Structure formats: structure tokens, C-alpha cells
């Protein structure tokens, strides 16, 4: 079966490598006529590259070639990826993508287009890189009502926080190390400000709760404001600060969905996830808590998930995988201000004032404490009334 790749960057070249390296294995075990790479679409040229002869720069070559049944999109970004993917689906080709921005912003539409054309649109690699998580949720956990999904969804920020926690590094210093090691981009905004994790929690929440969640409805805060003082205070309390993406189903049918630094108690499975590793915790009403752990980024781990999706498409030509969800609805995501948890507060205000305004708190040090459960709006108001806070970080219960 013939396959095309659109976008020959880190992931696209990994997909080409895995298809070649594992050709015989895939032919023997999964797709009897094998998976043959026919085209690589990219605007650049790759002189001397082993797949140089497959590189084309006209998208229509792929679109008009009836032999190509499966197209891989590893270009990134929404434009022109959205247009190309829509056209391929309309032309009766299944599409596999690793592009989280595309799925988070256009997933509902693309799944509907796939359905109309009786083809598949799969995106396992868009969350957790090489970690199997979307297919296990949609298939192995299908018997469960999912109550909550949360995780460490970004390797770069987890690496930075690990350096801060384990080596006492300052944020800027840890970021520089992440850039030197090639984890963080030159412009680290998407990782550091939580945008990448936001796209991933949108995809997870859409799948777990069967309704699309768009990034602009998800409160998103990155790790730039975390100080060495916060890290030390939280360590003293018995926890770690992680960048968490979280979504929870409420009894009234709405969901919470946010990305923010959050405190995880030592002993939780998520607390020990360090360096560039990712982990996703899913809370089902029959299975309880399950955690998926592994490499959330990187050329071959991500390609591993993409090629598994290609195999799945090849095994389901002219057959639909049961994957899809409803479109978003107004008021579905609870405003972050209304979400409830305990909070860590670090302040310069005097203790008497804190005690008067906050009531019962658990002191970590003279100027840092953990509150009782309250909404985010309440903790902000109380912090203001007691003279202002240097940091407010939510405390999770997983
Ligand atoms: N830059 C991301 C990370 C990988 O650091 O986890 C791709 O989503």
C-alpha cells in the first residue's frame, strides 16, 4: 500500500526511517502487501538524503495519485496543513497526523470530514509522542465513564522543572540548558507558556468527554513565574511543582480544563515523572486510575506512534474506526476562577493578617502556606485582602 508524507522535518523523517527499517516486520505482521513510501512533500530540497528521490513540492501530485491511500501530515501549524488534510480526506485518503495544533483547533471538523468520506483520521502521536494513550482511551478504556484526565504533557518544561527541583537551578539557567540539549526551541514560547500542553489537554478532554474543547476555552499558564523559593517551599511541604494539563467532568455535565503549574504530593505517580518524560493519568469509573508513561517527544518515539496509525489505517481501508466526538458548546468549560482546589500561597504579608483573612491554613514557613479548598477567585481575593501574594499555585489531589 502506498503512503505519502507531507513535511520532512524531525517527525516526518522519523516516519520515513521507521517505514524503511521496519518494512519486513510490518509486512509480515500487520499489512500483508507492505507499506511503501511513494512521496515526501516539502518545499525544501534534501541533496544526498536517502529519500531525496521521493521529495516533491506540489501537493496536487499526492492528491491526484489514486495509488496513495494514506497520507501523513507532519508539517505542523494549521496552515496549510488544514487545507491539505481536508482535501486528502475529501479525496478518499485516510490521514495520520502528529500535529497537535491542527487536532486541537480543527479536530471536530476533520473527524466529520473523515466520517463523510468513509476514511480515517488518526492522531495518536499528537499527545504524548510515542506513548500509547489516545487509542487505549478510545478502545481499551471504552467501557469506562472517564471522570478525569491529567498529566505532564510537555517534556521541555518537565526537564526545566526537574533541573530546578533536583539541582536548585533558576528558571533562566534551566531553560538555557534545555536549549543547549536541543529540547527547547530557540523561541521556547509554545512550551514554556503552556500552549503545547494546552493543545494536548484539549485533545485528551475532547476524546475522554466526547465533546470538542478548543484551546481558547482553556485557562493556560506556563512555568515562567516559578521561583527557586517556590520550589524549596513545596519540597519542604512534601511535593513537587509540575506543569499539569487537567480536565475533569463535573456532575452537572460541564468540565474543568486548564494548564498550569500545580503541586503534586510526593508518592503520586506523577511526582516521580522527571526530565523530558511525560505521563498521563486517566481516572475511569470502573478501572480506577491508570497512568501512561514514556517519551513524549523525539524523532523515533513520535514516528513509532505515527507508523502505528498508518498500519491501523491500512488495516481499515474502506472501514471506519469508531473515533469522533460532538462539537463544542457554549458554557461547557467552567471558568478557571470557579475551579476548586487547595492552594499554595507565598506572601510577604504578616501572619496575623493571613490568619484573619484565610482562617485555617497549613504553614510551610513563615511566609508560605497551603489553604483549605476554595475557588481560584476566592484565593486571589483573599491574597489581595491580606496584602498581596508573590505566588499562588494549586495543589492537586492525584
Ligand atoms: N515540544 C514538545 C515537548 C514536544 O517538549 O514536549 C512536542 O509536543
Amino acid at each position: 500500500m502506498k503512503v505519502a508524507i507531507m513535511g520532512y522535518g524531525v517527525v516526518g523523517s522519523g516516519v520515513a526511517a521507521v517505514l524503511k527499517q521496519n518494512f519486513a516486520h510490518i509486512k509480515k505482521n500487520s499489512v500483508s502487501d507492505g507499506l511503501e513510501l511513494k512521496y515526501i512533500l516539502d518545499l525544501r530540497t534534501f541533496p544526498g538524503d536517502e529519500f531525496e528521490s521521493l521529495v516533491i513540492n506540489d501537493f496536487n501530485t499526492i492528491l491526484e495519485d489514486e495509488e496513495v491511500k494514506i497520507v501523513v501530515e507532519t508539517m505542523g501549524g494549521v496552515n496549510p496543513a488544514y487545507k491539505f488534510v481536508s482535501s486528502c480526506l475529501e479525496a478518499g485518503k485516510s490521514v495520520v497526523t502528529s500535529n497537535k495544533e491542527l487536532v486541537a483547533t480543527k479536530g471536530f471538523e476533520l473527524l466529520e470530514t473523515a466520517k463523510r468520506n468513509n476514511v480515517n483520521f488518526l492522531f495518536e502521536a499528537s499527545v504524548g509522542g510515542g506513548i500509547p494513550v489516545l487509542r487505549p482511551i478510545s478502545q481499551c478504556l471504552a467501557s469506562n465513564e472517564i471522570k478525569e484526565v491529567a498529566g505532564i504533557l510537555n517534556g521541555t518544561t518537565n526537564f526545566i522543572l526537574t533541573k530546578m527541583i533536583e539541582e536548585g537551578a533558576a528558571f533562566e539557567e534551566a531553560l538555557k540548558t534545555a536549549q543547549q540539549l536541543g529540547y527547547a526551541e530557540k523561541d521556547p514560547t509554545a512550551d514554556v507558556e503552556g500552549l503545547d500542553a494546552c493543545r494536548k489537554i484539549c485533545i485528551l478532554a475532547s476524546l475522554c468527554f466526547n465533546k470538542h474543547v478548543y484551546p481558547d476555552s482553556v485557562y493556560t499558564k506556563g512555568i515562567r513565574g516559578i521561583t527557586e523559593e517556590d520550589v524549596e517551599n513545596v519540597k519542604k511541604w512534601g511535593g513537587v511543582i509540575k506543569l499539569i494539563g487537567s480536565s475533569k467532568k463535573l456532575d452537572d455535565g460541564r468540565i474543568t480544563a486548564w494548564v498550569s503549574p500545580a503541586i503534586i504530593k510526593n508518592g503520586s505517580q506523577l511526582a516521580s515523572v522527571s526530565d523530558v518524560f511525560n505521563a498521563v493519568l486517566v481516572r475511569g469509573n470502573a478501572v480506577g486510575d491508570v497512568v501512561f508513561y514514556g517519551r513524549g517527544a523525539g524523532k523515533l518515539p513520535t514516528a513509532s506512534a505515527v507508523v502505528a496509525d498508518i498500519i491501523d489505517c491500512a488495516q481499515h481501508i474502506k472501514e471506519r474506526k469508531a473515533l469522533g466526538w460532538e462539537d463544542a458548546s457554549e458554557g461547557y468549560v467552567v471558568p478557571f476562577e470557579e475551579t476548586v482546589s487547595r492552594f499554595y500561597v507565598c506572601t510577604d504579608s504578616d501572619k496575623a493578617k493571613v490568619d484573619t483573612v484565610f482562617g485555617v491554613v497549613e504553614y510551610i514557613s513563615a511566609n508560605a502556606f497551603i489553604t483549605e479548598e476554595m475557588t481560584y477567585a476566592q484565593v486571589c481575593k483573599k491574597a489581595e485582602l491580606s496584602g498581596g501574594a508573590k505566588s499562588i499555585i494549586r495543589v492537586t489531589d492525584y
Side-chain angles (χ1 to χ4, degrees):
M1 188 164 302
K2 303 279 195 284
V3 176
I5 296 174
M6 304 191 292
Y8 197 50
V10 174
V11 180
S13 60
V15 172
V18 172
L19 284 173
K20 185 176 175 193
Q21 182 189 316
N22 292 349
F23 180 83
H25 171 80
I26 292 168
K27 191 171 159 67
K28 180 162 174 259
N29 295 301
S30 312
V31 184
S32 57
D33 57 344
L35 291 174
E36 193 188 322
L37 184 57
K38 187 163 183 184
Y39 304 114
I40 295 171
L41 178 72
D42 206 293
L43 292 177
R44 299 163 294 178
T45 55
F46 299 89
D49 186 279
E50 63 174 320
F51 298 104
E52 186 187 359
S53 63
L54 303 185
V55 178
I56 54 164
N57 53 30
D58 182 2
F59 167 65
N60 288 315
T61 309
I62 294 173
L63 191 63
E64 288 160 12
D65 188 332
E66 300 221 332
E67 257 195 346
V68 174
K69 301 281 186 228
I70 303 163
V71 180
V72 175
E73 186 276 306
T74 45
M75 307 163 73
V78 176
N79 292 309
Y82 172 62
K83 202 171 131 234
F84 287 1
V85 170
S86 300
S87 303
C88 288
L89 295 170
E90 297 281 8
K93 301 175 193 301
S94 287
V95 176
V96 172
T97 186
S98 60
N99 183 342
K100 55 227 95 197
E101 190 178 359
L102 180 71
V103 183
T105 55
K106 301 286 184 187
F108 170 72
E109 284 173 67
L110 291 170
L111 283 163
E112 288 293 299
T113 308
K115 197 165 155 190
R116 266 200 324 274
N117 291 282
N118 199 32
V119 289
N120 290 296
F121 175 58
L122 302 182
F123 38 86
E124 180 64 57
S126 66
V127 179
I131 309 170
V133 59
L134 300 184
R135 190 173 281 99
I137 289 173
S138 70
Q139 296 184 0
C140 312
L141 299 179
S143 59
N144 285 261
E145 190 185 333
I146 308 285
K147 297 290 185 189
E148 193 165 353
V149 58
I152 295 166
L153 305 173
N154 182 269
T156 304
T157 44
N158 203 38
F159 176 85
I160 292 171
L161 289 171
T162 303
K163 286 270 162 216
M164 293 176 76
I165 294 163
E166 292 180 3
E167 297 173 22
F171 171 78
E172 290 298 340
E173 185 189 344
L175 171 60
K176 216 158 142 203
T177 311
Q179 282 170 323
Q180 278 159 359
L181 291 171
Y183 298 142
E185 307 278 340
K186 234 183 183 165
D187 175 3
T189 312
D191 292 321
V192 166
E193 304 298 346
L195 310 179
D196 176 75
C198 171
R199 292 164 189 149
K200 292 167 179 167
I201 197 65
C202 286
I203 299 168
L204 286 167
S206 302
L207 181 66
C208 287
F209 306 128
N210 202 31
K211 196 189 271 272
H212 197 96
V213 178
Y214 288 98
D216 59 8
S217 63
V218 174
Y219 172 91
T220 301
K221 184 175 177 193
I223 61 166
R224 219 175 252 287
I226 304 294
T227 65
E228 292 138 274
E229 185 181 20
D230 295 327
V231 169
E232 280 313 307
N233 280 332
V234 171
K235 202 184 267 182
K236 200 165 154 199
W237 181 70
V240 284
I241 303 173
K242 296 284 181 190
L243 182 68
I244 296 294
S246 163
S247 186
K248 188 175 181 175
K249 184 98 190 222
L250 303 184
D251 291 339
D252 64 10
R254 295 183 301 162
I255 62 161
T256 62
W258 50 263
V259 170
S260 166
I263 295 170
I264 313 282
K265 250 195 151 121
N266 290 337
S268 153
Q269 294 206 64
L270 296 184
S272 55
V273 176
S274 55
D275 290 317
V276 288
F277 284 87
N278 285 195
V280 180
L281 179 147
V282 182
R283 195 163 272 182
N285 70 345
V287 73
D289 287 358
V290 286
V291 176
F292 302 93
Y293 169 86
R295 292 183 188 279
K299 178 172 167 161
L300 293 181
T302 309
S304 150
V306 172
V307 176
D309 274 354
I310 301 174
I311 292 171
D312 209 356
C313 286
Q315 291 172 337
H316 294 90
I317 292 287
K318 296 204 165 81
E319 234 184 290
R320 285 266 309 143
K321 298 272 299 174
L323 179 64
W325 49 71
E326 293 171 19
D327 200 3
S329 62
E330 193 68 30
Y332 174 56
V333 180
V334 174
F336 187 71
E337 291 66 29
E338 293 173 27
T339 60
V340 176
S341 76
R342 299 176 77 198
F343 290 92
Y344 155 89
V345 179
C346 184
T347 171
D348 282 333
S349 309
D350 66 70
K351 191 170 176 298
K353 215 161 185 186
V354 166
D355 289 343
T356 309
V357 175
F358 278 90
V360 180
V361 296
E362 182 185 343
Y363 277 101
I364 303 171
S365 65
N367 67 343
F369 56 89
I370 306 283
T371 70
E372 298 278 89
E373 276 201 340
M374 61 184 71
T375 65
Y376 185 65
Q378 284 169 329
V379 73
C380 290
K381 185 83 201 150
K382 284 177 190 284
E384 193 187 317
L385 289 174
S386 64
K390 292 193 285 184
S391 298
I392 297 176
I393 306 174
R394 59 194 308 130
V395 180
T396 67
D397 62 355
Y398 32 76

